[in-house]
Every structure is written in C-alpha cells, then in structure tokens.
Amino acid sequence: MVRRTLLTVAGWLAAAVVATLVGLAAVRVIGAGITGGAAGEVLTREEIARRLDSATPSATAAPAPPTPAPSASSAARAALSTPGGTVVATCADGLVTLLSWAPAQGFAVTDVERGPRERAELKFRGSNGKIEVKVVCAAGQPSATWKRDD
C-alpha cells in the first residue's frame, strides 16, 4: 500500500515538472510574439506616426472611400492623441482629412466623417464611455479637440 502511494506521488510530481517545463518553453518561444517586439520598447511620437502611416487596416474595417491626395506643397500632417485613441489627419487648402485612426485598448471607432471638410469627426466608444473627437485646420495644421461622454 505504501509503495502504491509513493508511486502515485512520484507520478504526480513528474507530471507537474514536465507540465511546468513545457509551459516555460512555450512562453520563451512565443514571448516576442506576445509583446510584439522587444520587451520595454518605447516609441517616439514620430515612430508612432510612421508605424500608423504604414499600418494596414484590420480585416474588420470598412473600406474607406477614395479621397483626393493633397498636394505636397500645401499639406500638413499630424498624429493627434486623445484618451480614446490616435487620429492621423492632414490639412490642405483649409480642409482637414482624417487619414487613419487607431483606437486605444478597450475602444472601438464609430461615426467617422473623414473629410475633406472644414471639420472632420469621429467617435471612440468603450466600456468607460465615448470620446467625441473633432479635427480642424488651425493655422494650416491639424488640431483636435475631444469631449468625453460617459
């Protein structure tokens, strides 16, 4: 009876050790994939804007209607940060156009009016409420104001 108990305990211990080692190996193999890059990587505003500009839209995003490209000489571009997410906009000839947007974690984008218009708008909705973002051209540069609705 004692021998059976010892074998049972030894079997459980061996299974626990194997399971722990397999788990550690799996985390090590996919660790970089979980964080999306090097641990502790800090991006500058310019790097964020560059990555947002080169990002491809997600499969769930509706295709945007084509907008005329502003001329390089008269266009100003900016990444604008809000609590609900980031908006990339451009100003050309006094009109603003939303080029892209990235909701913050826990938020989704709704009600987009991308322009070109005198004022472009979108809403970030999340479990903590809604962030209404309005973007205009101020002195030829995109400028955002936002309002939280809980």
Side-chain angles (χ1 to χ4, degrees):
M1 188 63 134
V2 174
R3 185 174 179 182
R4 179 182 277 174
T5 302
L6 287 175
L7 286 174
T8 302
V9 169
W12 277 103
L13 285 174
V17 168
V18 169
T20 301
L21 291 175
V22 168
L24 290 173
V27 168
R28 177 176 234 159
V29 168
I30 63 171
I34 291 172
T35 61
E41 180 181 21
V42 178
L43 301 176
T44 65
R45 286 184 185 258
E46 292 79 20
E47 289 170 327
I48 292 170
R50 190 172 37 249
R51 288 186 183 187
L52 285 173
D53 288 342
S54 66
T56 58
S58 67
T60 59
T67 56
S71 65
S73 62
S74 66
R77 179 184 288 194
L80 309 165
S81 217
T82 74
T86 303
V87 178
V88 177
T90 187
C91 286
D93 302 322
L95 300 177
V96 65
T97 302
L98 302 182
L99 299 176
S100 63
W101 45 87
Q105 186 170 355
F107 285 88
V109 177
T110 63
D111 303 328
V112 178
E113 295 178 18
R114 65 185 294 137
R117 300 173 54 162
E118 288 183 12
R119 180 178 71 207
E121 301 178 12
L122 65 81
K123 294 177 185 165
F124 293 110
R125 291 185 189 266
S127 58
N128 292 336
K130 176 175 56 173
I131 307 290
E132 294 183 30
V133 181
K134 295 180 182 180
V135 182
V136 297
C137 292
Q141 297 291 322
S143 176
T145 58
W146 56 271
K147 177 176 79 170
R148 181 183 299 269
D149 281 340
D150 294 324

